[in-house]
Amino acid sequence: MGSARMGRKKRAVLLATAVALAAGAVTAATAGAAPAPASAPAPAPDRTASAAGEPGAPVTLSTGWTIPWGTSWLPDGSGALVTERDDFRVWWIAKDGKEKKDLGKVPESQTTGGEGGLMGLAVDPDWATNHYIYVMHTSSEGNRIARMTYDGTSVGGYKVLLKGIKKNKYHNGGRLAFGPDGYLYATTGDAQDKPLAQDKNSLNGKILRLTKDGKPAPGNPFGTYVYSLGHRNPQGIAFDPQGRLWEAELGDATRDELNLIKSGKNYGWPTCEGTCDVAGMTNPKRTWGVAEASPSGVAIVDGAVYMAALKGKRLWRIPINADNEDTGTPKAYYISEYGRLRSVTTVPGASELWLSTTNADNNGGQPDGSDKIFRVPIGQG
């Protein structure tokens, strides 16, 4: 009996030690998580964090880039198109990174001396038959969404779909993505004019939803292009396997955000930055201090959102739950190893990401041609 009691006691001590270590790890990892209101119920168990694979060591795929901003895969997965922000070029790059082609410039593009220029890119899901691609860029009167054709050799046939989105040196948004509904989604910044984000008649500080011909998509909540409002400078959008839209947004002085976007919802800016209790505002799912993030692109693979960080110089992984809207504990990778990270893109048919740097911009201070695109394996040991 004495021996049995001693065995049970030893097992209890070991179990208690393991629990304490696990609790300490979780506490350290949640330092950047959104603060929950005191009255909030206890979060559901994180069932996705241990199931999803984690990113491995990045492998250099392609070099010689200058501020690669947007990436979009061809539907057959043979390669991807990439924009460079300040020289307005569209490039094709092979899936293995061994070949790269200059496809031409986007007409009527210009910089803002800050964050404007040639930004987001989306390849039409029906590209094999219509050869359409879509770009968002800065022009003389503001930011535009335009359609072009890519015939396998070059880009041409420039057609403006939507213009007059106010521009400024900063806060231009710029990301494009097709949703599972077949419509084009676009992010716009507040153009350093805060009230525009709350103005339903303005295209700024919004996520827009439009048809391939540039009309407001049917079913938009206000009968206009506007899908959601109250955004400061959203630079990342991605759809998960459940069809939900996740968005990364640069905050002002205190909190950056990861939001779950829903039609007609108001995400707070400039009334709220991060979590608040103002009626009518939708809170983010996660927040970070601006030094830890300043997010740009996002991608979703293997049960998690991956969020590239500019000022934070890291890649964040945030587990998401397929059954509800809970998010798991964020974890940062590659802190300051590769500099400022701009775009993160899921590789079709593989548990991999492409991750691009943006060290040749004004804040990075590196010379032209110093940026890279990496291949990041997910959950492959």
Side-chain angles (χ1 to χ4, degrees):
M1 293 294 291
S3 175
R5 282 195 299 269
M6 288 296 292
R8 288 194 296 271
K9 182 176 180 181
K10 184 176 181 179
R11 287 194 296 271
V13 169
L14 290 172
L15 179 60
T17 302
V19 170
L21 289 172
V26 170
T27 299
T30 55
S39 59
D46 180 5
R47 297 189 288 109
T48 57
S50 60
E54 297 195 6
V59 177
T60 301
L61 183 79
S62 182
T63 61
W65 295 89
T66 302
I67 319 177
W69 208 100
T71 304
S72 184
W73 282 85
L74 295 173
D76 63 5
S78 61
L81 304 188
V82 180
T83 61
E84 283 189 308
R85 189 188 70 187
D86 287 3
D87 68 359
F88 322 127
R89 293 188 183 277
V90 180
W91 296 82
W92 173 86
I93 178 173
K95 185 175 183 178
D96 61 8
K98 294 181 180 179
E99 192 175 0
K100 173 183 173 184
K101 297 178 182 177
D102 179 358
L103 304 181
K105 290 189 176 185
V106 174
E108 302 181 36
S109 296
Q110 61 180 235
T111 72
T112 63
E115 295 173 348
L118 178 56
M119 298 172 287
L121 171 75
V123 175
D124 196 300
D126 298 318
W127 174 81
T129 56
N130 62 27
H131 298 299
Y132 288 153
I133 67 169
Y134 304 79
V135 292
M136 188 166 180
H137 70 94
T138 308
S139 63
S140 58
E141 89 292 336
N143 291 314
R144 295 179 180 177
I145 298 170
R147 190 176 73 195
M148 300 183 72
T149 57
Y150 166 53
D151 60 6
T153 302
S154 62
V155 293
Y158 177 83
K159 178 181 179 180
V160 177
L161 298 184
L162 179 62
K163 65 179 182 178
I165 304 167
K166 186 177 179 180
K167 66 178 181 178
N168 213 320
K169 184 174 183 178
Y170 304 109
H171 302 190
N172 294 288
R175 197 70 62 179
L176 298 177
F178 272 96
D181 55 10
Y183 295 117
L184 183 64
Y185 291 73
T187 72
T188 68
D190 68 4
Q192 298 175 265
D193 188 350
K194 296 178 183 179
L196 294 181
Q198 290 294 319
D199 182 355
K200 292 180 182 177
N201 295 315
S202 169
L203 296 173
N204 287 87
K206 309 295 189 299
I207 293 177
L208 310 178
R209 179 173 173 262
L210 58 155
T211 69
K212 295 179 182 181
D213 293 325
K215 306 297 183 183
N220 280 357
F222 310 113
T224 65
Y225 289 99
V226 175
Y227 187 73
S228 64
L229 68 154
H231 301 289
R232 180 178 180 268
N233 191 17
Q235 285 197 5
I237 49 175
F239 290 87
D240 67 18
Q242 290 71 45
R244 300 175 299 186
L245 177 57
W246 297 85
E247 174 253 18
E249 184 163 336
L250 291 119
D252 184 16
T254 58
R255 307 307 291 179
D256 295 322
E257 302 177 357
L258 177 69
N259 291 296
L260 180 57
I261 302 299
K262 296 182 180 180
S263 175
K265 296 296 184 180
N266 187 332
Y267 290 83
W269 178 256
T271 305
C272 304
E273 182 182 357
T275 301
C276 70
D277 59 0
V278 177
M281 306 299 178
T282 300
N283 280 328
K285 293 300 180 181
R286 288 282 165 175
T287 71
W288 292 261
V290 294
E292 300 175 298
S294 296
S296 187
V298 296
I300 296 173
V301 64
D302 201 11
V305 175
Y306 288 85
M307 185 178 82
L310 298 167
K311 188 174 182 179
K313 299 180 180 180
R314 65 197 73 185
L315 179 68
W316 284 100
R317 176 182 178 275
I318 309 99
I320 56 176
N321 199 308
D323 301 326
N324 54 48
E325 297 180 0
D326 295 337
T327 58
T329 302
K331 184 176 180 180
Y333 297 83
Y334 323 133
I335 300 173
S336 296
E337 291 185 35
Y338 305 106
R340 292 163 57 79
L341 302 180
R342 172 72 66 179
S343 290
V344 55
T345 311
T346 304
V347 177
S351 291
E352 295 178 355
L353 299 169
W354 278 13
L355 179 65
S356 71
T357 67
T358 185
N359 293 315
D361 65 8
N362 293 338
N363 290 316
Q366 297 299 310
D368 288 353
S370 61
D371 285 319
K372 299 178 180 181
I373 298 175
F374 298 98
R375 181 181 66 84
V376 180
I378 304 297
Q380 299 176 20

